[in-house]
Amino acid sequence: MNNKFKADVLCLDFTWCRGGFIFYIEKFLVGFLIAANSGIKCIGGFMENRCAMTGRVVEGSSDAIWDDGEWISWEWMNEQLHEQELRTRYPNADTQLVEIFEALVHDAVCYKQHTGRYLPIFGELGEIFAEITFGIKRHKPRTQGSDGRLGNDYIEIKTITPEKKKEVVSVKRQGNFNKLLAVKISETFDFEARIVDRKNMSKGDGKVAKVSWSSMKVKNILNNIPADS
């Protein structure tokens, strides 16, 4: 007999095989055929379970379920449930952008906890929150006059950060907008937004108009972003 074994090759002298050894080969071949039809990969004669949806290795029932002849991982199912939750919470938003937003908030929370400092990204977080919550289509970077559009309305977005002592936003009167949207971010990274028509803002001759959070009563949306999202 001349037996040689490698990780991906099983070499046998088939003229020698008899009895139980033939049974072993038959079992191996049957297992290989089952694997080929059920998302299981064979390595050196051993079957490796893989999720049919992602191709990732699964250990068995501890992290996957066997459904209709194939393994489906809990990880993949949880991802689908999370995406469905995001679509329910933000029905008009790009779910990939929502996931990026949640990741940025998570990183900002971790950074604050580790360093005691805030990451200087509140302006961008405020604009993304406005986009995914209200469905605003933001302009290209450095566009003058307004930050985006909502239907036929031009929207100016301002953010009240946790570091601000007064809940007031400043906006240039010469801006080409007809609605002002303010996003308030708390010390615990809760996001709250209010939007008001420009015609309801205080009148004046100065170049800059200041609008207090308390004066904006038109629309109010509260959204808590989990720190571990």
Side-chain angles (χ1 to χ4, degrees):
M1 181 185 71
N2 181 20
N3 262 359
K4 293 183 179 180
F5 180 82
K6 294 183 180 181
D8 55 351
V9 178
L10 183 61
C11 299
L12 296 172
D13 184 351
F14 285 92
T15 61
W16 179 87
C17 295
R18 293 293 186 275
F21 213 47
I22 290 179
F23 172 77
Y24 171 81
I25 294 175
E26 290 176 346
K27 184 178 180 181
F28 171 81
L29 292 175
V30 170
F32 181 83
L33 291 174
I34 293 174
N37 293 321
S38 60
I40 303 174
K41 182 180 179 182
C42 290
I43 297 181
F46 297 97
M47 289 185 292
E48 186 178 57
N49 300 329
R50 288 182 177 271
C51 173
M53 308 306 297
T54 65
R56 299 171 187 166
V57 176
V58 296
E59 298 299 327
S61 58
S62 61
D63 58 357
I65 62 172
W66 182 257
D67 181 54
D68 195 23
E70 58 188 13
W71 287 105
I72 307 295
S73 70
W74 293 110
E75 180 184 11
W76 181 83
M77 288 187 288
N78 288 334
E79 289 174 355
Q80 301 309 302
L81 290 173
H82 181 60
E83 183 174 340
Q84 183 177 354
E85 179 185 348
L86 294 182
R87 290 188 182 280
T88 301
R89 190 189 306 173
Y90 306 102
N92 300 317
D94 177 0
T95 54
Q96 186 175 3
L97 180 60
V98 176
E99 291 173 352
I100 293 172
F101 172 71
E102 290 190 341
L104 288 172
V105 173
H106 175 261
D107 290 342
V109 171
C110 292
Y111 183 83
K112 178 62 168 60
Q113 292 173 344
H114 185 71
T115 67
R117 301 171 182 270
Y118 288 111
L119 276 175
I121 60 171
F122 287 120
E124 189 67 18
L125 288 178
E127 290 192 15
I128 298 176
F129 178 74
E131 179 176 350
I132 63 178
T133 302
F134 292 91
I136 294 171
K137 303 298 182 183
R138 287 195 292 166
H139 300 318
K140 293 181 179 180
R142 293 182 292 278
T143 299
Q144 301 295 318
S146 62
D147 293 306
R149 291 187 64 175
L150 182 59
N152 295 324
D153 293 319
Y154 287 89
I155 312 296
E156 179 71 7
I157 304 171
K158 294 295 181 180
T159 303
I160 300 174
T161 72
E163 300 169 302
K164 284 190 175 181
K165 295 181 179 179
K166 295 183 178 180
E167 296 182 346
V168 176
V169 296
S170 300
V171 58
K172 294 180 180 179
R173 294 185 186 276
Q174 67 181 18
N176 181 31
F177 66 93
N178 53 321
K179 289 185 184 293
L180 171 66
L181 189 148
V183 177
K184 184 172 69 171
I185 306 174
S186 72
E187 293 181 353
T188 55
F189 287 86
D190 295 333
F191 286 69
E192 192 174 358
R194 294 181 180 179
I195 187 169
V196 64
D197 289 336
R198 180 170 184 168
K199 62 184 180 181
N200 294 330
M201 293 168 48
S202 60
K203 304 297 188 294
D205 298 327
K207 295 182 178 181
V208 176
K210 292 188 176 182
V211 183
S212 65
W213 176 261
S214 59
S215 68
M216 302 176 69
K217 301 294 185 181
V218 176
K219 192 170 184 178
N220 183 43
I221 292 180
L222 178 66
N223 196 304
N224 297 321
I225 305 299
D228 58 348
S229 61

